[in-house]
Amino acid sequence: MTKQEAIYKYALRLGDDALILGHRLSELCSRGPILEEDLALTNISLDLIGRTQALFIYAASIEGKGKTEDDLAYRRSENNYGNHLITEQPNGDFAHTIARQLFISSFEYLFYSELEKSKDETLSAIAKKTNKEIKYHMQHASDWTIRLGDGTNESHKRMQNAINDLWMFTGELFEMDEIDAQLLPEGISVDLIPLKTNWNNYIKTVLTEATLKVPEDGYMQTGSRKGIHTENLGHILSEMQYLQRAYPDAKW
Amino acid sequence: MHNEHSDTHFQTRIDNGEHIEAKDYMPENYRKHLIRQMSQHAHSEVIGMQPEGNWITRAPSLRAKQILLAKIQDEGGHGLYLYSAAETLGVSRVEFIQQLQSGKAKYSSIFNYPALNWADVGAIGWLVDGAAIVNQVSLQRTSYGPYSRAMVRICKEESFHQRQGYEIMAKMMKGTKDQQAMAQDAMNRWWWPALMMFGPHDTDSPHSSDAVKWKIKRETNDELRQKFIDKTIPQAELIGLTVPDDKIKLDEKTGHYKIGPINWDEFYRVIAGNGPCNKQRLDHHIKFHEEGSWVRDAAVAYKQKHSTKELQTV
Ligand SMILES: [Fe+2]
Ligand SMILES: [Fe+2]
Ligand SMILES: [Fe+2]
C-alpha cells in the first residue's frame, strides 16, 4: 500500500468512528432522561459529526477521485466501514450510553493527544481541535459514571451491567494493523500499545470512585478494522443512507 | 378580593410601558395568564423537538445533519430558558411537566402534525419557525420582564432556524423532480397549520382582551398572521412553490395578501386532541421521562450522599 493509501484509510476509519458514534448519540435527541442531558448528548453528537466531516474531507482529498465527504459517509457499504465495534453498539439504557462514552472518550483523549504530534499536519490540526471537545466528553461521561455508580442501588446495578456488557469491545481499541504499522515509522500514526496502561489506569480510577468493579479481561471482540461488524451497523447505515441511496441523483 | 389600589397602580405601570418583575405586585389573573402562556410556550419548544427529531438519523448530508442537530438543540435550550422564566411565577418545572403530561397544559398544536419527508424539515423551519418568529418578535415587548428577556434571547437564534428551513426548500426546488415533489407536498401539508398557529380570528379569541390590556400580547392574532402571510407568500413564489390556496389575492391598495377561509374545524379538532400525532407526542414525552426517572433519582441520591459526607467531615 502506498503511503497516500494508508493515510486515506487511516483518516477514513477515524472518521467512521466519529460518524457512527455521533449517529448513535443523535438517535437520543428528545429521549434524554432530563432536558439538560438531552442537550448535552446532542452536543457531543454534533462535535463528532463535525470531526467526521473534517476527517472525510481530508480523506477524500487524499484519495483524489473527486469524492465529497458525503460520498464517503453515504455511499459505502458496511464492510467498507472501519469504525470500532463499540461505536455501533445500541444506546441501551442511559448507563450503557454513558459506559460506551466513557470507554471511547477516555481512549480518544489519549489517542488524539498523541495524534496532535503527528507529522501529518492536517491530522495534527484536526486532533488539536477535536481534543478540546473530547476532554469535555470524557469529563461528562466520567461524572455520570460516578453519579450512577454511587447513586441508588438501581443505578449502581445498571451502571455495573453496562460496564460489564461493553467491556468485551474495549480490547479492539488498542489493536494495531498494517496501516498503523506502516504509518508509525513515518511519525504519522499513533502507537496504541503504550496507551493501554494509561487507559486502564484512568478507567480504574473512575470506576473505583464510582464504587464499581473493573471487569476481568475475557475474550475481546474484534474485526471492525477488517470490515467485519456486529449486526448493528447494517441497520445504522440503512437508516442513515436512506435518502442518498433512494435518490442517487439528488443533491441535498 | 383584589386590592383595588394595587391593581390600579399595576395598570398604570403597564400603561407607562414598565416591565413587571417577579417580585412586583401583579393581579392573580395576570399571573395565571402568564403561567399558562409561558409554560405552553416552553412545552411547545420541547415537544417541537420530536417532529424534526424524526429526521435526524436520516438527514441526507453531514452538513444537514449538523444543522438539524444544532437547530433542535436550540429549541431544547429555548425550552430551558422558558421553564426558568416561568418558574419565577412560583410554579416548578416538575409541576409544569406534570401538567403537560396530564394534558392540563397545552403546547402548540402545530407539533401534532407528522414530519413525513425530508422537505418537512425545511417546511417546519421556514413556516413553523417563521410563524413563531413573528409572534416572538412581538413578545420581546411583552410586559413581564423575565418573559420579555427570554424572548430577546430566543429571537436571536430563531432567524437562523427560519433561514435553514428556507434553504432546504430552495435547494429541493432546484433539485430533481422527486425533490420538487417532496417540497411541494410538505408545503401543502404545513401551510394551513402554520396559519392556524396564530390562533382564532380576533373576533373569536377567548384570551385576547385581557392579554392586550396587560400588554402581554402586543399585537392581535390576525395582525400577526397577516404579517406572516405577507412575508411568506413572496418567499414561496421566489422558489417556485405553490401556496395551496386558490383564493390568494394581493390587495393592491393595502399591499396585504387576502387568503381563503381557514378550516377552523380542523384547528379545534387538533386542539381537542384529535390531530394525527397528539397521542404519539405525549406518549413519547411520558415514555422517556419515565425511563429517565432512575437517572434523576440517582443524581439526587448522589448529591445528597456527598453533601452529607461533606457536612460530616466539617
Ligand atoms: Fe420553535
Ligand atoms: Fe425555539
Ligand atoms: Fe426555532
Side-chain angles (χ1 to χ4, degrees), chain A residues 33 36 53 150 239 244 251, chain B residues 57 60 66 93 296 306:
Chain A
E36 284 82 348
Q53 201 175 21
D150 194 15
E239 191 173 350
Q244 289 259 357
K251 291 213 166 42
Chain B
T57 55
Q66 289 174 82
R93 189 160 133 202
R296 298 190 298 275
H306 287 266

Side-chain angles (χ1 to χ4, degrees), chain B residues 45 74-75 78 129 136 154 158 161:
Chain B
E45 300 283 358
D74 281 353
E75 304 300 8
H78 297 170
D129 287 76
Q136 290 176 158
I154 286 172
E158 285 297 344
H161 297 175

Side-chain angles (χ1 to χ4, degrees), chain A residues 23 26 29-30 33 36 39 43 45-46 50 53 70 74 150-151 155 158 239-240 244 247 250-252, chain B residues 56-62 65-66 69 72-73 93 171 178-179 182 284 294-296 298 302 305-306:
Chain A
H23 184 90
S26 78
C29 188
S30 84
E36 284 82 348
L39 302 184
N43 209 30
S45 173
L46 258 175
Q53 201 175 21
D70 289 331
Y74 296 93
D150 194 15
S155 70
R158 283 177 184 262
E239 191 173 350
M240 186 174 90
Q244 289 259 357
Y247 305 97
K251 291 213 166 42
W252 303 92
Chain B
I56 284 187
T57 55
R58 289 174 293 172
S61 74
L62 294 175
K65 197 182 180 97
Q66 289 174 82
L69 272 169
I72 300 175
Q73 192 187 29
R93 189 160 133 202
K171 215 173 206 175
D178 285 328
Q179 286 176 300
M182 283 183 223
H284 177 109
W294 69 270
V295 178
R296 298 190 298 275
Y302 178 83
K305 259 190 227 179
H306 287 266

Side-chain angles (χ1 to χ4, degrees), chain B residues 259-284:
Chain B
I259 61 161
I262 292 173
N263 180 351
W264 294 112
D265 288 345
E266 175 180 326
F267 174 78
Y268 288 111
R269 175 171 60 79
V270 178
I271 283 195
N274 297 314
C277 303
N278 297 58
K279 181 166 163 30
Q280 180 189 332
R281 300 291 184 238
L282 262 195
D283 286 354
H284 177 109

Side-chain angles (χ1 to χ4, degrees), chain B residues 88-299:
Chain B
T88 62
L89 293 161
V91 183
S92 71
R93 189 160 133 202
V94 172
E95 291 170 284
F96 283 134
I97 289 174
Q98 279 165 354
Q99 290 171 358
L100 168 69
Q101 296 187 342
S102 72
K104 190 180 167 227
K106 301 276 182 226
Y107 54 87
S108 176
S109 253
I110 192 76
F111 301 119
N112 291 319
Y113 290 86
L116 299 178
N117 81 55
W118 171 251
D120 285 42
V121 171
I124 292 173
W126 173 42
L127 300 174
V128 175
D129 287 76
I133 291 168
V134 172
N135 193 31
Q136 290 176 158
V137 163
S138 180
L139 282 171
Q140 290 182 109
R141 298 185 296 123
T142 196
S143 58
Y144 187 53
Y147 195 22
S148 161
R149 288 188 291 273
M151 281 303 121
V152 171
R153 239 174 124 180
I154 286 172
C155 281
K156 283 192 188 133
E157 292 171 353
E158 285 297 344
S159 63
F160 147 70
H161 297 175
Q162 207 244 351
R163 249 183 296 127
Q164 63 87 31
Y166 189 59
E167 189 198 281
I168 290 175
M169 294 305 258
K171 215 173 206 175
M172 292 184 78
M173 287 307 288
K174 276 196 210 128
T176 63
K177 284 264 171 318
D178 285 328
Q179 286 176 300
Q180 290 169 5
M182 283 183 223
Q184 186 62 54
D185 172 46
M187 176 78 189
N188 294 348
R189 284 181 288 102
W190 289 95
W191 171 253
W192 290 106
L195 296 185
M196 294 177 201
M197 284 173 71
F198 296 96
H201 288 307
D202 297 345
T203 45
D204 313 314
S205 178
H207 301 295
S208 266
S209 57
D210 274 350
V212 170
K213 182 182 91 189
W214 290 326
K215 294 189 182 170
I216 293 175
K217 205 171 166 55
R218 303 303 304 256
E219 287 161 286
T220 70
N221 293 354
D222 284 327
E223 285 165 356
L224 293 167
R225 184 167 20 241
Q226 192 61 49
K227 277 191 184 172
F228 173 72
I229 291 168
D230 289 342
K231 110 182 149 158
T232 308
I233 290 176
Q235 290 173 345
E237 284 170 353
L238 186 66
I239 57 177
L241 279 167
T242 306
V243 181
D245 176 355
D246 54 17
K247 301 218 163 46
I248 280 182
K249 250 182 86 181
L250 181 63
D251 183 333
E252 301 286 353
K253 266 183 276 166
T254 59
H256 294 306
Y257 286 94
K258 284 217 162 92
I259 61 161
I262 292 173
N263 180 351
W264 294 112
D265 288 345
E266 175 180 326
F267 174 78
Y268 288 111
R269 175 171 60 79
V270 178
I271 283 195
N274 297 314
C277 303
N278 297 58
K279 181 166 163 30
Q280 180 189 332
R281 300 291 184 238
L282 262 195
D283 286 354
H284 177 109
H285 194 275
I286 292 168
K287 176 180 193 286
F288 291 101
H289 186 73
E290 282 174 0
E291 280 182 14
S293 72
W294 69 270
V295 178
R296 298 190 298 275
D297 290 347

